[in-house]
Amino acid sequence: MDDLKPSDLNILLVEPSNAQSKVIEAELGAEGVHSIDFVRGKEEALQHIDQICPDLVISSLHFADGTGLELLREIRAYPDLEDLPFMLITSESRREKLEEFKQSGVVAILPKPFTHENLSRAIHATLDLLTPQELELDQYDIEQLRVLLVDDSKLARKVIARVLGNLGIANITEAGDGSEAIEILKEKTFDLVVTDYNMPEVNGRELTEHIRSTEQLSHLPVMMVTSEANEAHLENIAQSGVNAMMDKPFEPEGVRRILASIMNN
């Protein structure tokens, strides 16, 4: 797996339009991906996955027999498929319509029409998910790094934990929201907090403010993962004292760069 390339990927494309399928096939071919199976809807996709599990599912949002969200939910309902990489291609741009995809840990959401750069980045994010590549830090033994991962979405925690695990981080404690994280911080010591922004009771901004205002925690690096796109919200988050922010869906290589930056400083 160390030398995994785009040409090694087997992709399931779920797309009812023949014309759109040909466009996506051509773009994948330009990226070096040629092992592509084509289905037109949700039930056909589930039957295919039951027989041959792909490395990546690329899906449209609407089919004759359902939606991409319904397909994603049914895939995620199987424990063995919870971390199957899933990419959405859609003309939908409303945040509320895409939020569940983001919270479910999709590898990418590509707009229609998408650019080759959009697709290339998503393919390489998939390769990063599938290929462990240990992060080297100046001041820490990566295997001993203690991380508190905070997100109210179990699926999102699973995806983030997988990315961190691929970097060599094995010592991960999970919390379902900010209030649970605060209780854990009273009992255990950590080197890094990775937190979602939108959470019930205590959100990521409030958790970060608690960390910064608590003397014994104030030095603790915080990386926030958020699906927020509103500039005012992002500025508000930044002012809480986070060390770095990552978008949902995020690229594992971006996580690598940010962690290297904040942990080596």
Side-chain angles (χ1 to χ4, degrees):
M1 295 288 285
D2 289 345
D3 298 316
L4 198 64
K5 303 180 294 297
S7 58
D8 297 317
L9 292 176
N10 174 255
I11 289 179
L12 176 63
L13 176 59
V14 192
E15 172 55 63
S17 165
N18 289 333
Q20 184 70 7
S21 291
K22 291 184 181 298
V23 170
I24 298 171
E25 181 183 20
E27 292 292 344
L28 288 170
E31 193 59 30
V33 179
H34 300 288
S35 180
I36 309 168
D37 294 310
F38 300 87
V39 297
R40 296 175 64 86
K42 178 171 70 76
E43 292 305 320
E44 192 179 354
L46 292 170
Q47 290 171 12
H48 181 93
I49 292 170
D50 185 55
Q51 296 175 11
I52 304 172
C53 188
D55 299 306
L56 170 66
V57 176
I58 300 178
S59 176
S60 177
L61 183 55
H62 297 290
F63 328 116
D65 63 348
T67 68
L69 184 55
E70 292 169 348
L71 173 60
L72 178 60
R73 286 172 178 165
E74 294 200 35
I75 289 173
R76 294 291 190 250
Y78 292 93
D80 292 345
L81 300 176
E82 279 187 343
D83 55 1
L84 176 63
F86 188 102
M87 182 194 310
L88 177 69
I89 299 179
T90 179
S91 57
E92 179 63 71
S93 60
R94 288 171 293 178
R95 179 181 176 277
E96 65 274 13
K97 296 295 184 180
L98 300 176
E99 185 65 20
E100 189 167 345
F101 285 100
K102 294 181 179 182
Q103 296 299 336
S104 297
V106 294
V107 70
I109 299 176
L110 270 59
K112 284 184 180 179
F114 61 86
T115 66
H116 183 73
E117 181 183 5
N118 294 148
L119 184 66
S120 179
R121 290 176 62 176
I123 290 297
H124 283 84
T126 302
L127 294 176
D128 288 338
L129 279 175
L130 297 173
T131 310
Q133 189 176 3
E134 189 168 297
L135 175 66
E136 295 184 4
L137 298 175
D138 296 337
Q139 302 177 39
Y140 296 89
D141 179 346
I142 193 66
E143 294 181 357
Q144 300 301 316
L145 192 71
R146 299 160 298 182
V147 176
L148 177 58
L149 172 57
V150 191
D151 199 307
D152 60 312
S153 167
K154 180 181 176 182
L155 291 175
R157 293 201 307 270
K158 187 176 182 67
V159 172
I160 297 171
R162 182 181 183 184
V163 171
L164 296 175
N166 280 359
L167 297 177
I169 300 172
N171 193 348
I172 302 172
T173 300
E174 297 186 14
D177 61 29
S179 60
E180 183 181 351
I182 289 171
E183 293 305 310
I184 292 173
L185 286 166
K186 293 176 182 178
E187 304 295 332
K188 299 180 66 175
T189 301
F190 295 93
D191 302 303
L192 171 69
V193 173
V194 179
T195 181
D196 187 26
Y197 172 65
N198 285 309
M199 296 183 292
E201 295 191 33
V202 176
N203 64 30
R205 178 184 58 79
E206 293 164 337
L207 172 60
T208 304
E209 290 173 344
H210 169 80
I211 289 171
R212 292 292 171 256
S213 64
T214 303
E215 184 177 357
Q216 60 268 38
L217 299 175
S218 59
H219 67 285
L220 189 58
V222 177
M223 183 174 81
M224 189 170 293
V225 183
T226 177
S227 57
E228 288 292 331
N230 183 286
E231 289 296 329
H233 275 297
L234 293 176
E235 180 63 25
N236 190 27
I237 294 169
Q239 290 179 358
S240 69
V242 297
N243 296 83
M245 286 187 287
M246 286 290 299
D247 294 329
K248 281 184 179 180
F250 58 84
E251 298 174 4
E253 180 56 32
V255 175
R256 167 184 293 277
R257 290 195 307 269
I258 286 176
L259 286 184
S261 174
I262 65 178
M263 300 309 297
N264 283 331
N265 288 333

